[in-house]
């Protein structure tokens, strides 16, 4: 049986944390900021932790199970 290949698109977007979670950049941050409030823009900066319900799926894509 061959090795599982890493999903390259997922590898570029998500980073695994020390405790096994995944972090990624926020969505809705590329354009159309005039329609967002200052609070929304401020809170969209930086990275977010991935939802627990999707961690298992992305861990398999990144061959880390």
């Amino acid at each position: 049986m061959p090795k599982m290949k890493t999903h390259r698109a997922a590898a570029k977007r998500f980073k695994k944390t020390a405790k096994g979670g995944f972090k990624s950049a926020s969505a809705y941050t590329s354009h159309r900021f005039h329609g967002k409030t200052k609070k929304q823009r401020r809170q969209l900066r930086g990275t977010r932790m991935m939802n627990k319900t999707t961690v298992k799926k992305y861990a398999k894509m990144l061959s880390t199970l």
Side-chain angles (χ1 to χ4, degrees):
M1 188 90 189
K3 291 181 182 179
M4 284 275 294
K5 287 190 176 180
T6 300
H7 192 285
R8 296 314 298 163
K12 292 169 188 172
R13 288 167 175 79
F14 309 116
K15 299 288 180 224
K16 190 173 181 190
T17 62
K19 288 188 174 183
F22 287 96
K23 62 180 182 176
S24 64
S26 303
Y28 310 109
T29 58
S30 59
H31 60 101
R32 292 188 59 160
F33 290 106
H34 61 272
K36 297 174 177 64
T37 63
K38 286 185 92 166
K39 181 180 179 180
Q40 281 177 305
R41 284 180 272 166
R42 186 173 62 247
Q43 291 179 344
L44 285 170
R45 284 186 213 134
T47 57
R48 301 278 174 270
M49 290 302 294
M50 188 180 288
N51 193 331
K52 289 179 183 176
T53 58
T54 57
V55 166
K56 190 173 182 181
K57 180 170 71 171
Y58 284 100
K60 188 172 182 182
M61 288 171 75
L62 296 168
S63 304
T64 58
L65 279 178

